[in-house]
């Protein structure tokens, strides 16, 4: 057991496993509570929404040119999805905003990261030359 962590691959595997655990915690939390993080630069609004097992990213032109960062976590997942469904058509209609949206399921990323960490930790190492 003393030689188990002598390779960088296993240390990286443990770090990736911690990342997978953090993603799983965010996934579980997103089932009931919503999180919103907004970071705006002079040119763009970037917003991350976490709700119902998915992570949404919105990007649009910052017409006001105001820079700020906000984090809001006192909203339920259902309320957040209702707000997203209500605001999305308004942003999509305005061509001047150059609205972009991406989303992915936490489950896909969490399972993939967990499998990568298992491969890094459990795969047999190369035999060292004497």
């Amino acid at each position: 057991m003393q030689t188990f962590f002598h390779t960088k691959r296993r240390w990286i595997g443990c770090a990736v496993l911690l990342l997978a655990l953090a993603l799983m915690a965010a996934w579980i939390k997103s089932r009931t509570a919503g999180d919103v993080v907004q970071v705006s630069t002079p040119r763009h609004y970037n917003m991350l929404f976490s709700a119902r097992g998915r992570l949404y990213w919105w990007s649009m032109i910052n017409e006001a040119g105001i820079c700020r960062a906000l984090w809001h976590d006192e909203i339920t997942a259902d309320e957040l999805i209702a707000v997203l469904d209500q605001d999305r058509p308004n942003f999509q209609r305005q061509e001047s905003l150059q609205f972009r949206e991406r989303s992915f399921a936490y489950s896909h990323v969490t399972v993939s990261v967990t499998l990568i960490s298992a491969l890094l930790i459990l795969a047999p190492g190369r035999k060292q030359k004497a």
Side-chain angles (χ1 to χ4, degrees), residues 33-129:
D35 286 317
V36 180
V37 176
Q38 175 186 347
V39 178
S40 57
T41 64
R43 296 186 54 117
H44 290 95
Y45 279 121
N46 290 298
M47 292 181 263
L48 288 172
F49 307 97
S50 177
R52 286 193 188 161
R54 295 190 72 81
L55 186 66
Y56 301 87
W57 171 68
W58 284 8
S59 177
M60 64 191 92
I61 296 295
N62 184 356
E63 293 176 334
I66 300 171
C67 298
R68 64 180 170 190
L70 299 172
W71 178 35
H72 182 68
D73 64 347
E74 297 177 3
I75 188 169
T76 66
D78 292 334
E79 290 172 348
L80 181 57
I81 293 295
V83 169
L84 292 177
D85 289 341
Q86 179 183 1
D87 288 346
R88 184 181 293 115
N90 298 334
F91 292 137
Q92 287 173 336
R93 269 188 249 123
Q94 298 179 21
E95 292 179 15
S96 64
L97 291 179
Q98 297 178 2
F99 177 75
R100 286 180 280 164
E101 177 183 15
R102 304 282 184 267
S103 72
F104 66 88
Y106 277 112
S107 59
H108 298 154
V109 177
T110 304
V111 170
S112 300
V113 171
T114 303
L115 291 175
I116 290 169
S117 70
L119 178 68
L120 289 170
I121 293 171
L122 300 176
R126 288 185 264 171
K127 294 184 180 184
Q128 297 182 359
K129 296 179 182 178

